[in-house]
């Protein structure tokens, strides 16, 4: 497998080597010796063949403090630390424990003198809860709140169903909860849960657009949303909900519960969400009462698909984030690029403005391609400093109606490679 991956020069979607899945119950110590010893020799073997692709683990079926201490101590002492830490959250109430698990893991890292690793929860939710929309919202909220890099629904169901989000190739209730989350743009903002009510929210400052996804409580609730001063004196609020039918019941669209105009007072509004079903998910979509953009025009680089580069913060960056270290050109394991998934209303030629920084002192270049098109070149004149934004360049892309993928690359398959270095803040279509 490793040799095949090294030879797959056009493959760009390999996230990492996971050495063993759930060793706490699948590893046969009597037959194969201690798992920690196996981890050490397997890590060393893979690194002798592939020095680039991340290695992830230990992939326990649930978080256990003693196991993590034992594993990390051995990995530290043998020079075989994983690049990404993985464990699973598969218990019926594990969404309630994610915060405590992350805090404990970070304390273990610190006690052992290990630099912080990204955390991946690459299996979450039990079979009895994975299709409850409000449980999905709980997981979304705690993963965002506690800095989980990525998380994947446990694969309990047959292929071809988006892991249970589709039935007969059409949406289920849970699909809409994930769709609302996937539609978030701009910046994830702070949410404060209630006793059972939980949620995740985003603010897109370029569209003046707030998206709140919530659920988990029954009866009558009130959601207070603050920081709305930039949206004007009045806002339009649309409240929608999912059904609760499970994965074998289709729901063709969310149910609109209410749509009303609210007066913003001291930057906030309070929205009643009455008659809640504890199993359903709900969305509050908040836009200016007038002048709201009809389609998303700005896409933040830090929210795009970032391959072999890093996400960073800057006060001068749009929405506070950018992508840097877009440096790799060598092979498919190290090439650096950013893929923007954009959604446009009509097929036409779109001017595209790119916010960037380039402190090399000379013009840098990236390759530009979209929807499988031929490569063209984007040039970035030098700017004053890294991580300092305000400079832009403009090019043109010919897009089809609906979703399009736009790639800006220092290196990528079928592209010889860019020159110099540049950091990306955003792309904006007009």
């Amino acid at each position: 497998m490793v040799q095949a991956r090294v030879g797959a020069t056009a493959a760009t979607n390999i996230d990492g080597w996971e050495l063993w899945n759930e060793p706490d119950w699948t590893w046969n110590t009597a037959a194969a010796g201690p798992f920690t010893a196996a981890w050490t020799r397997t890590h060393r073997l893979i690194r002798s063949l592939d020095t680039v692709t991340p290695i992830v683990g230990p992939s326990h079926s649930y978080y256990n403090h003693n196991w993590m201490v034992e594993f990390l101590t051995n990995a530290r002492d043998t020079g075989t630390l994983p690049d990404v830490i993985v464990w699973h959250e598969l218990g019926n109430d594990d969404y309630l424990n994610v915060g405590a698990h992350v805090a404990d893991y970070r304390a273990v890292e610190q006690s052992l003198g290990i630099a912080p690793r990204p955390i991946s929860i690459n299996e979450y939710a039990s079979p009895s809860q994975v299709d409850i929309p409000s449980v999905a919202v709980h997981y979304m909220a705690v993963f965002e709140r506690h800095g989980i890099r990525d998380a994947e629904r446990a694969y309990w169901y047959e292929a071809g169903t988006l892991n249970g989000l589709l039935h007969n190739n059409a949406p289920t209730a849970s699909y809409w909860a994930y769709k609302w989350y996937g539609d978030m743009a701009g910046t994830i903002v702070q949410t404060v849960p209630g006793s059972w009510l939980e949620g995740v929210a985003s603010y897109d400052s370029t569209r003046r657009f707030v998206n709140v996804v919530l659920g988990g409580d029954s009866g009558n609730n009130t959601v207070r949303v603050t920081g709305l001063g930039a949206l004007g004196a009045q806002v339009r609020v649309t409240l929608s909900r999912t059904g609760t039918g499970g994965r074998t019941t289709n729901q063709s669209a969310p149910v609109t519960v209410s749509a009303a105009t609210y007066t913003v007072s001291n930057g906030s509004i309070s929205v009643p969400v009455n008659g809640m079903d504890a199993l359903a998910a709900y969305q509050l979509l908040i836009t200016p009462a007038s002048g709201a953009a009809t389609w998303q025009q700005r896409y933040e680089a830090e929210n795009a698909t970032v391959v072999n580069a890093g996400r960073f913060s800057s006060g001068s960056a749009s929405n506070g984030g950018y992508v840097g270290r877009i440096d790799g050109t060598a092979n498919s394991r190290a090439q650096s690029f950013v893929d923007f998934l954009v959604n446009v209303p009509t097929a036409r030629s779109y001017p595209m403005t790119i916010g960037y920084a380039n402190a090399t002192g000379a013009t840098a270049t990236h390759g530009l391609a979209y929807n499988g098109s031929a490569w063209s070149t984007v040039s970035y004149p030098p700017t004053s400093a890294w991580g300092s934004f305000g400079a832009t360049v403009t090019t043109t892309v010919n897009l089809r109606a609906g979703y399009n993928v736009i790639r800006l690359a220092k290196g990528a398959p079928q592209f010889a490679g860019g020159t110099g270095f540049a950091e990306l803040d955003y792309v904006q279509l007009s």
Side-chain angles (χ1 to χ4, degrees):
M1 290 172 63
V2 176
Q3 291 168 341
R5 194 274 172 274
V6 171
T9 57
T12 62
N13 62 345
I14 308 300
D15 186 66
W17 292 115
E18 186 172 30
L19 303 195
W20 196 268
N21 185 57
E22 300 187 342
D24 47 299
W25 73 276
T26 65
W27 184 260
N28 188 330
T29 302
F35 172 70
T36 52
W39 170 273
T40 298
R41 64 177 178 265
T42 308
H43 188 290
R44 289 173 175 170
L45 174 59
I46 288 178
R47 276 289 169 258
S48 74
L49 302 171
D50 179 353
T51 60
V52 177
T53 305
I55 292 176
V56 308
S59 309
H60 291 137
S61 65
Y62 62 95
Y63 186 82
N64 180 285
H65 171 86
N66 292 334
W67 293 345
M68 191 62 73
V69 170
E70 178 188 20
F71 169 79
L72 287 178
T73 300
N74 174 79
R76 179 199 62 184
D77 294 346
T78 58
T80 59
L81 285 166
D83 301 292
V84 179
I85 290 292
V86 173
W87 70 81
H88 300 164
E89 299 280 1
L90 298 173
N92 283 341
D93 296 319
D94 272 2
Y95 56 85
L96 301 174
N97 302 317
V98 170
H101 294 165
V102 172
D104 185 84
Y105 168 72
R106 293 301 185 200
V108 171
E109 265 185 338
Q110 188 174 29
S111 71
L112 295 176
I114 296 171
R117 259 70 179 153
I119 297 173
S120 169
I121 308 298
N122 69 4
E123 291 188 35
Y124 73 88
S126 69
S128 64
Q129 290 194 316
V130 69
D131 289 313
I132 298 174
S134 65
V135 172
V137 172
H138 271 80
Y139 275 111
M140 296 169 195
V142 296
F143 289 154
E144 290 285 1
R145 188 172 298 131
H146 298 292
I148 302 303
R149 189 198 71 168
D150 64 87
E152 289 74 44
R153 283 164 59 96
Y155 186 66
W156 300 118
Y157 303 128
E158 64 276 8
T161 66
L162 278 183
N163 199 13
L165 298 182
L166 300 180
H167 176 62
N168 293 331
N169 210 33
T172 64
S174 290
Y175 170 90
W176 296 109
Y178 282 94
K179 175 69 164 60
W180 292 333
Y181 180 47
D183 284 343
M184 289 187 173
T187 303
I188 297 293
V189 296
Q190 182 183 18
T191 54
V192 179
S195 297
W196 288 102
L197 194 65
E198 182 59 280
V200 59
S202 68
Y203 173 54
D204 182 352
S205 63
T206 64
R207 285 188 293 172
R208 299 188 299 159
F209 178 101
V210 177
N211 181 357
V212 184
V213 182
L214 64 144
D217 203 359
S218 59
N220 298 336
N221 284 278
T222 299
V223 177
R224 184 168 178 263
V225 185
T226 64
L228 298 179
L231 275 65
Q234 290 189 315
V235 293
R236 188 70 175 167
V237 180
T238 302
L239 172 64
S240 305
R241 66 168 175 83
T242 69
T244 58
R247 79 178 192 92
T248 59
T249 302
N250 289 124
Q251 182 177 352
S252 60
V255 177
T256 300
V257 177
S258 64
T261 299
Y262 286 75
T263 297
V264 178
S265 176
N266 295 320
S268 70
I269 60 173
S270 294
V271 181
V273 186
N274 295 329
M276 289 186 68
D277 187 319
L279 302 182
Y282 295 77
Q283 182 197 42
L284 289 177
L285 197 58
I286 305 171
T287 61
S290 61
T294 58
W295 56 283
Q296 184 178 349
Q297 294 176 277
R298 180 171 292 201
Y299 295 84
E300 300 294 335
E302 67 273 15
N303 293 339
T305 299
V306 177
V307 177
N308 292 325
R311 295 176 173 88
F312 303 95
S313 299
S314 168
S316 65
S318 173
N319 274 302
Y322 70 96
V323 174
R325 298 179 186 171
I326 312 170
D327 300 343
T329 59
N331 57 56
S332 62
R333 293 170 294 149
Q335 290 165 337
S336 299
F337 56 86
V338 181
D339 282 349
F340 296 87
L341 180 64
V342 305
N343 188 4
V344 295
T346 59
R348 64 174 174 87
S349 177
Y350 287 83
M352 184 175 75
T353 299
I354 305 169
Y356 76 97
N358 165 21
T360 64
T363 297
T365 63
H366 281 164
L368 166 66
Y370 46 90
N371 299 335
S373 70
W375 289 95
S376 61
T377 298
V378 175
S379 296
Y380 305 104
T383 62
S384 59
W386 296 115
S388 180
F389 295 93
T392 63
V393 295
T394 300
T395 186
T396 301
V397 289
N398 295 309
L399 303 180
R400 59 198 179 206
Y403 288 102
N404 299 258
V405 176
I406 299 172
R407 176 171 293 182
L408 288 168
K410 175 67 182 292
Q414 290 80 54
F415 174 57
T419 59
F421 304 97
E423 299 169 333
L424 296 177
D425 188 5
Y426 64 87
V427 300
Q428 182 156 331
L429 305 171
S430 58

